[in-house]
Amino acid sequence: MMVTVKINGKEYSKDVEPRTLLATFIRDDIGLTGTHIGCDTTNCGACTVLMDGRAVKSCTVLAAQADGHELETIENEADKELSMVKESFIEENGLQCGFCTPGMIMTSLYMLRKNKNPSEDYIKNSLAGNLCRCTGYVSIINSIKNANEKINGKKAVVK
Amino acid sequence: MFPDKFEYYAPKSIEEAAKFLDGHEDAKVLAGGQSLIPLLKLRFTSVPEIVDIGRIKGLDSIVFQGSAVEIGPMVRTSEIGENSSIRKKFPVLSEAAGHIADPLVRNMGTIGGDICHGDPANDFPAVMLALDAEFEISSSRGKRTVKAEDFFVDTFATALEPGEILTGIKIQDTGSSGRYMKYKKYAGDFSILGIAVNLLMDGKKVKKAGIGLTNCGATAIKAKDAEKFMNGKDLSDENIEKAAELIVKACDFMDDDNGSVKFKEKLLKNLFVKAVKGIGGVPK
């Protein structure tokens, strides 16, 4: 079946099997390998992308479900806010091995767009669907606070 | 991991979907896919055809009409949790939404899918039972209404017959208020158990109690005896304790990885007391 999606502003059309998952569609059919597949069981969130602005786990979405929708992935260099989140992760050492990072960054972008005045609790709760097995999350949370200052121009409220 | 092969069909109307389901008895309806897709990927199940109802217009709206709200089955769990009118009128529903899986799953997962999946550990069924929701079910044979208490039959089994689709959820706003309490092992996990308590008060006395239980048996359970007992009574410690006893009696617990029967009984009683007293926060 034909699946047509807009990814990072560019339209792609591919003929795929109905059982193709969005994560493999993005990686194997389109060739954008920045989106990672971690657990492949809807737990880790490494495959997080934005679909019509909402963060979803692309390993648990059919490419067919995304047909006609707009996606944003870690590769979107035109998105200034996304670049700010990336910089923040570098500045605050929000990664070690980097495998979970594409998902972490997409979820961070989503949560900061949704809430312009985030509390630390909000940041933690919003990260519930993303696992990192290296950092222990403190540096990730610091990265998101840093990103919030860059994007929303405010410090995150502690508690 | 890939699901087994299937045909994909995305109808544009309920009529189209119903017509397709008529000729394809083993076809499975796909809503958000946050339960179905993992099952397909793990090959716990496979289906010949998938009917994606995500492209049918009008199934994703929340409409307040008179004293009732009608919620479409394709409304995402995150929207249920964030809708300010639902938060005001049906706090038990909002609170449960916030406990389901994680924010990313909630952005895809739908209320209709959560209900129709029939998993005893899903959280919305208990809330539906506590709020005495009614389900509008459509097929090529027309429409029928099923009460939530008649809907949940067994594990992964509901009152939906072959060819039928849940097309609407109706809840009456009676001015009641409630809490949903859930105990889980870690963030994003299924319930060890959960309880939805919804009370309509008349002064200090309970006018109408609604109690639904998550993961306390083969399917979601409505604690009818406890509800009946609470109606007309005040919320004294003694009455709450008696109601808690009746709730535990309605359960069909088993010793398993989540704990012993004794542990679960004690946990459920504690969650019930916390829900009734409105004390926030489940133990972490």
Side-chain angles (χ1 to χ4, degrees):
Chain A
M1 65 177 291
M2 283 307 284
V3 171
T4 305
V5 290
K6 208 179 218 182
I7 306 180
N8 306 332
K10 200 177 157 194
E11 199 167 282
Y12 298 88
S13 260
K14 294 278 172 188
D15 188 11
V16 296
E17 273 191 81
R19 60 176 170 165
T20 308
L21 298 158
L22 183 56
T24 44
F25 179 78
I26 293 169
R27 287 177 56 85
D28 301 347
D29 293 291
I30 307 293
L32 294 171
T33 52
T35 301
H36 289 172
I37 298 173
C39 68
D40 214 357
T41 51
T42 336
N43 288 292
C44 80
C47 63
T48 304
V49 300
L50 304 191
M51 184 157 126
D52 299 333
R54 291 186 328 226
V56 299
K57 292 180 172 176
S58 64
C59 80
T60 313
V61 178
L62 298 175
Q65 282 176 292
D67 184 29
H69 292 272
E70 206 163 312
L71 302 170
E72 182 170 356
T73 68
I74 191 75
E75 286 96 346
N76 194 7
E77 285 178 355
D79 186 338
K80 292 212 169 67
E81 289 179 341
L82 177 60
S83 302
M84 289 179 193
V85 182
K86 288 180 194 171
E87 281 165 27
S88 305
F89 269 69
I90 295 167
E91 287 165 10
E92 294 290 333
N93 299 313
L95 61 143
Q96 284 180 31
C97 86
F99 198 84
C100 71
T101 311
M104 286 290 174
I105 287 178
M106 296 319 287
T107 300
S108 304
L109 179 65
Y110 169 71
M111 76 167 90
L112 294 177
R113 277 188 181 152
K114 213 168 113 184
N115 187 341
K116 304 279 178 203
N117 196 14
S119 65
E120 189 167 324
D121 275 353
Y122 169 78
I123 294 173
K124 286 179 181 170
N125 286 328
S126 303
L127 270 186
N130 294 80
L131 300 181
C132 169
R133 301 287 82 160
C134 307
T135 68
Y137 301 101
V138 172
S139 56
I140 291 174
I141 291 163
N142 288 340
S143 304
I144 297 170
K145 284 183 185 168
N146 183 11
N148 176 57
E149 281 174 45
K150 285 186 206 278
I151 293 173
N152 296 324
K154 278 181 263 191
K155 284 202 167 179
V157 192
V158 180
K159 294 277 165 179
Chain B
M1 294 182 295
F2 295 93
D4 203 352
K5 285 186 181 177
F6 55 77
E7 295 289 325
Y8 174 85
Y9 183 62
K12 292 274 191 311
S13 68
I14 295 170
E15 292 73 29
E16 252 183 65
K19 205 174 154 195
F20 183 87
L21 285 171
D22 250 1
H24 304 83
E25 278 217 341
D26 293 326
K28 184 84 183 158
V29 173
L30 172 76
Q34 301 304 285
S35 299
L36 180 60
I37 295 173
L39 288 179
L40 291 170
K41 284 176 70 179
L42 292 165
R43 306 262 176 142
F44 285 149
T45 185
S46 65
V47 289
E49 298 99 8
I50 277 187
V51 182
D52 183 357
I53 59 167
R55 291 177 198 277
I56 300 176
K57 286 202 171 72
L59 289 186
D60 60 351
S61 55
I62 301 172
V63 183
F64 283 87
Q65 215 163 33
S67 66
V69 63
E70 281 184 45
I71 302 172
M74 282 302 296
V75 175
R76 311 281 169 185
T77 305
S78 53
E79 287 167 46
I80 299 275
E82 287 158 15
N83 186 291
S84 56
S85 301
I86 288 187
R87 191 160 281 276
K88 219 163 94 188
K89 293 184 170 170
F90 308 104
V92 61
L93 186 55
S94 307
E95 193 169 16
H99 280 301
I100 293 172
D102 61 59
L104 312 176
V105 171
R106 295 201 284 271
N107 273 342
M108 266 318 274
T110 65
I111 183 166
D114 190 282
I115 290 168
C116 293
H117 189 45
D119 189 332
N122 275 3
D123 298 285
F124 279 140
V127 179
M128 295 297 114
L129 291 169
L131 288 170
D132 289 315
E134 286 185 338
F135 302 141
E136 180 199 81
I137 290 166
S138 304
S139 70
S140 60
R141 304 180 288 281
K143 286 184 179 178
R144 66 184 182 115
T145 304
V146 176
K147 286 182 182 168
E149 63 175 298
D150 300 323
F151 188 79
F152 303 101
V153 178
D154 207 338
T155 307
F156 301 121
T158 66
L160 284 176
E161 301 284 343
E164 288 187 324
I165 313 167
L166 174 70
T167 46
I169 298 151
K170 197 170 178 180
I171 308 170
Q172 293 293 337
D173 174 22
T174 56
S176 61
S177 187
R179 296 292 307 263
Y180 186 76
M181 295 281 168
K182 170 169 173 172
Y183 189 81
K184 53 192 173 186
K185 280 184 270 193
Y186 49 85
D189 195 18
F190 284 103
S191 299
I192 289 180
L193 53 88
I195 180 165
V197 181
N198 197 62
L199 299 177
L200 174 63
M201 300 299 291
D202 183 11
K204 287 197 162 176
K205 284 187 176 155
V206 177
K207 199 170 172 192
K208 191 168 182 288
I211 302 167
L213 309 174
T214 301
N215 219 10
C216 293
T219 188
I221 293 169
K222 187 169 171 68
K224 285 188 201 166
D225 290 343
E227 289 177 351
K228 225 180 272 170
F229 171 79
M230 288 184 86
N231 291 342
K233 301 223 172 45
D234 62 23
L235 294 174
S236 67
D237 286 350
E238 197 187 335
N239 284 338
I240 293 173
E241 178 60 31
K242 272 187 193 156
E245 291 289 340
L246 290 169
I247 289 170
V248 165
K249 271 193 191 143
C251 300
D252 185 17
F253 284 132
M254 278 189 296
D255 292 330
D256 59 22
D257 291 358
N258 287 332
S260 64
V261 171
K262 219 172 151 187
F263 162 74
K264 290 181 189 174
E265 287 179 353
K266 200 172 170 187
L267 178 61
L268 183 59
K269 279 185 188 175
N270 284 341
L271 291 185
F272 172 67
V273 173
K274 276 198 173 166
V276 171
K277 296 196 169 175
I279 300 166
V282 283
K284 276 175 186 154

